[in-house]
Amino acid sequence: FDFCQAEGKKRPSENLGQVLFGERIEPSPYRFTFNKKETCKSVCTKTYDTRKPEDKQKLDFLKKSMLLNYQHHWIVDNMPVTWCYDVEDGQRFCNPGFPIGCYITEDGRPKDACVINSEFHEKDTFYIFNHVDIKIYYHVVENEALGARLVAAKLEPKSYKHTHPDNPDCSGVPMDISNKANGEVKIAYTYSVSFEEEKSIRWASRWDYILESMPHTHIQWFSIMNSLVIVLFLSGMVAMIMLRTLHKDIARYNQMDSSEDAQEEFGWKLVHGDIFRPPRKGMLLSVFLGSGTQILIMTFVTLFFACLGFLSPANRGALMTCAVVLWVLLGTPAGYVAARFYKSFGGEKWKTNVLLTSFLCPGIVFADFFIMNLILWGEGSSAAIPFGTLVAILALWFCISVPLTFIGAYFGFKKHAIEHPVRTNQIPRQIPEQSFYTKPLPGIIMGGILPFGCIFIQLFFILNSIWSHQMYYMFGFLFLVFIILVITCSEATILLCYFHLCAEDYHWQWRSFLTSGFTAVYFLIYAIHYFFSKLQITGTASTILYFGYTMIMVLIFFLFTG
């Protein structure tokens, strides 16, 4: 972007989560001294001669970023510097970033941030925010050793065309860059900083200002009530089937005198000789079950910690770091579950099973991630992950996760296979003609709708926080939704399983996995809708990145729900 650079300062170090999310922190040329007021201090001046091709390219890049409403994100003492402005109905909205500049269209319509100042009125012109008024609020600590703590930092972006860049006075007309401008363009960057004591904010609660400017909580409660109604409805259905229908069925089966009525059996009792027949592709199913268990426990523990406040936005990258470390350490349950199910399906190739559990799903995720990284690297993006970090992730996977999976699988294979209560017949039974809604595909498609209905409002906020740089802090809601999702997935699957067993279709293993797993397909459809309706992403690389990362999320979500 060719803004002012800080000379000779070394960059702060980032943790694993920040590196994976592509958050890089750069040192700043804006220097503050505590309680020392500065007005209109010059940082640097950039001159662009449009006749030189490299200067013209830099200026065009700046224009393009103003057109797309790119934002600065600044940090002081680990606090985001916020830009607060009035929105309709008397509320103030605090944005943790502020735009580079803005654009007035050819027919004189102000775009994005240009509405804040009536002086921005030239047609087909860019206005760059080259001056910032920063206000730092501090809280004096009374009882301990004398000192003050920073509790908030706010700024106002301004635009000034400084007449004397070396001796700026910060007044006069805004800094305009006409779209058709030729010759020399000079942009002088300046700042003012003032300090103010703020007695009402404690240092511990200095992040609360984010909550004030996010009036989304009533939507959340509404969606939670909505989901709870779905859960109650499903639980009622499941309970009714379990208690009344099964009770009736069993009573009826017990009354029959085994000799004469045995031919007239109907419903799920008929498939007792086939119900534990191993599924087709049992190897793959057991591997999916193992990886799914790993993801389920990882999500549960991460969200639990997030609810207790360990992973608040103040600890940058903590959420991602926690998830990755947990995922690596949870290789043992994955290996155990996969081995256990594979053995009960009567599988013999245990080596293949262990290897697939440790490498199939993580391998797909890593390959996808690696391709995305190559694209970022080719585009020269700062979000590209350095080679060292990739090696570190591979080391975590091969040296910790894989051995743990082997240990889990060893214990899983050592235990006796899961005993089935009924013998499996030698000859497979023929499945009668199925009605439309007990056929595999319609059943699976119907099964995904209910769980998706529970989560889709949370999904909107999560996608916003990933792609639109908004803070996500509603972990309490998310934990609740997570629990509701787990219950809904299980209950919807039990219901549909009962229906198709009554229709004498005994292939239940894959169907039960895919019924709730199909929620991930709805998630994918929603992500595509979000891409076209909410995001203004242009360019091939960016689109590939969006869908590449979305596919990783969809795969993880598929394994988790299944």
Side-chain angles (χ1 to χ4, degrees):
F1 285 103
D2 198 39
F3 295 126
C4 304
Q5 301 281 327
E7 265 83 53
K9 284 179 103 180
K10 66 183 221 299
R11 289 187 44 223
S13 61
E14 289 103 0
N15 59 26
L16 183 65
Q18 283 170 294
V19 174
L20 292 182
F21 260 132
E23 291 184 16
R24 300 283 181 278
I25 303 175
E26 295 288 343
S28 143
Y30 295 80
R31 303 286 159 82
F32 304 157
T33 315
F34 179 61
N35 246 343
K36 183 177 162 205
K37 197 176 166 190
E38 300 274 8
T39 37
C40 208
K41 197 162 154 75
S42 169
V43 188
C44 70
T45 306
K46 297 280 184 184
T47 311
Y48 301 101
D49 190 347
T50 47
R51 293 182 293 269
K52 290 186 190 154
E54 68 267 19
D55 278 13
K56 187 170 178 350
Q57 197 183 354
K58 281 179 182 171
L59 198 60
D60 286 347
F61 189 67
L62 261 182
K63 286 181 186 170
K64 186 187 170 198
S65 59
M66 284 188 248
L67 200 59
L68 292 172
N69 197 20
Y70 273 56
Q71 308 264 333
H72 287 280
H73 290 271
W74 291 5
I75 306 169
V76 178
D77 183 39
N78 200 26
M79 282 288 289
V81 183
T82 53
W83 172 40
C84 295
Y85 50 90
D86 293 310
V87 284
E88 66 270 6
D89 45 85
Q91 285 185 316
R92 274 181 89 61
F93 181 77
C94 287
N95 192 5
F98 68 96
I100 290 176
C102 63
Y103 177 57
I104 307 270
T105 54
E106 289 175 16
D107 47 8
R109 219 164 28 87
K111 281 188 65 167
D112 299 319
C114 274
V115 293
I116 61 171
N117 192 338
S118 57
E119 287 183 16
F120 301 161
H121 51 63
E122 299 281 325
K123 294 179 180 175
D124 194 18
T125 301
F126 292 94
Y127 288 97
I128 188 161
F129 292 131
N130 58 341
H131 174 84
V132 284
D133 283 335
I134 300 177
K135 199 164 205 179
I136 291 179
Y137 297 90
Y138 62 93
H139 178 103
V140 175
V141 186
E142 298 92 8
N143 42 17
E144 296 150 41
L146 282 177
R149 288 187 161 170
L150 182 145
V151 288
K154 301 207 160 120
L155 65 71
E156 286 283 321
K158 300 272 175 66
S159 180
Y160 294 121
K161 192 170 204 163
H162 300 298
T163 36
H164 311 291
D166 317 318
N167 185 14
D169 54 353
C170 294
S171 60
V173 292
M175 178 73 214
D176 53 342
I177 305 170
S178 170
N179 207 358
K180 303 181 178 61
N182 280 319
E184 214 175 43
V185 179
K186 260 192 179 180
I187 305 175
Y189 293 95
T190 53
Y191 69 97
S192 303
V193 61
S194 59
F195 290 83
E196 192 176 307
E197 187 170 357
E198 172 65 83
K199 291 193 164 70
S200 58
I201 307 177
R202 308 282 316 164
W203 187 74
S205 57
R206 61 185 193 157
W207 283 81
D208 291 359
Y209 74 90
I210 300 179
L211 307 177
E212 293 158 18
S213 62
M214 299 228 170
H216 298 317
T217 35
H218 55 275
I219 310 178
Q220 299 286 331
W221 282 117
F222 173 73
S223 83
I224 298 262
M225 296 324 293
N226 195 355
S227 315
L228 282 171
V229 169
I230 295 181
V231 167
L232 285 171
F233 160 75
L234 276 172
S235 305
M237 293 269 294
V238 171
M240 211 171 77
I241 283 182
M242 290 301 154
L243 295 169
R244 291 189 45 191
T245 325
L246 282 178
H247 191 74
K248 262 192 204 150
D249 290 354
I250 291 168
R252 197 180 63 240
Y253 287 141
N254 289 348
Q255 276 168 7
M256 289 180 180
D257 200 25
S258 52
S259 53
E260 66 264 23
D261 295 329
Q263 306 88 12
E264 296 173 36
E265 280 185 12
F266 63 92
W268 51 264
K269 185 79 191 296
L270 286 178
V271 294
H272 70 82
D274 297 276
I275 191 75
F276 292 114
R277 193 173 293 290
R280 293 182 283 247
K281 306 251 189 305
M283 170 75 89
L284 194 60
L285 183 60
S286 63
V287 168
F288 279 176
L289 286 169
S291 298
T293 311
Q294 190 174 4
I295 290 164
L296 180 76
I297 303 173
M298 173 193 90
T299 318
F300 179 79
V301 178
T302 308
L303 285 180
F304 184 70
F305 277 140
C307 278
L308 299 179
F310 289 128
L311 311 174
S312 75
N315 311 351
R316 291 167 197 285
L319 187 74
M320 191 73 176
T321 312
C322 176
V324 169
V325 169
L326 276 169
W327 184 84
V328 165
L329 296 178
L330 286 168
T332 313
Y336 179 78
V337 169
R340 210 54 221 279
F341 275 102
Y342 185 60
K343 194 170 177 182
S344 76
F345 294 156
E348 299 291 322
K349 306 180 184 152
W350 61 273
K351 287 177 190 148
T352 321
N353 181 265
V354 185
L355 286 170
L356 277 177
T357 310
S358 3
F359 294 115
L360 180 68
C361 300
I364 295 171
V365 170
F366 186 80
D368 186 329
F369 197 72
F370 185 70
I371 294 165
M372 295 301 108
N373 203 43
L374 282 180
I375 294 172
L376 283 170
W377 187 67
E379 290 280 312
S381 161
S382 65
I385 289 168
F387 184 68
T389 312
L390 274 178
V391 173
I393 294 171
L394 279 173
L396 283 175
W397 178 21
F398 286 120
C399 307
I400 303 175
S401 184
V402 173
L404 285 174
T405 313
F406 272 79
I407 294 169
Y410 171 74
F411 285 111
F413 278 117
K414 239 175 73 164
K415 286 192 79 149
H416 290 297
I418 302 166
E419 297 245 331
H420 300 317
V422 285
R423 275 209 327 278
T424 303
N425 294 342
Q426 291 291 311
I427 301 163
R429 194 193 149 77
Q430 200 174 356
I431 298 172
E433 185 63 39
Q434 296 291 313
S435 66
F436 173 72
Y437 63 90
T438 55
K439 284 200 177 91
L441 206 61
I444 288 171
I445 291 174
M446 282 190 300
I449 294 177
L450 286 170
F452 181 74
C454 296
I455 60 161
F456 86 100
I457 290 191
Q458 275 297 332
L459 209 56
F460 172 73
F461 289 112
I462 293 172
L463 289 178
N464 259 355
S465 76
I466 295 175
W467 301 115
S468 305
H469 277 290
Q470 282 161 6
M471 295 280 181
Y472 189 85
Y473 54 86
M474 304 178 244
F475 292 112
F477 283 124
L478 191 58
F479 192 61
L480 217 65
V481 168
F482 169 81
I483 303 291
I484 291 175
L485 176 67
V486 170
I487 298 171
T488 321
C489 281
S490 333
E491 290 182 342
T493 309
I494 291 171
L495 271 176
L496 288 161
C497 190
Y498 176 78
F499 290 145
H500 75 78
L501 286 180
C502 284
E504 301 175 28
D505 180 354
Y506 52 82
H507 294 305
W508 61 276
Q509 289 100 331
W510 268 110
R511 276 181 72 164
S512 60
F513 188 88
L514 294 172
T515 300
S516 55
F518 203 78
T519 316
V521 177
Y522 290 110
F523 173 27
L524 177 62
I525 295 167
Y526 183 74
I528 294 171
H529 162 74
Y530 180 83
F531 178 79
F532 287 114
S533 68
K534 290 277 183 296
L535 299 176
Q536 294 112 9
I537 286 185
T538 51
T540 338
S542 306
T543 312
I544 296 174
L545 285 170
Y546 176 83
F547 285 106
Y549 286 128
T550 302
M551 288 323 282
I552 292 181
M553 291 192 272
V554 167
L555 174 69
I556 288 175
F557 195 67
F558 167 72
L559 293 171
F560 158 70
T561 47

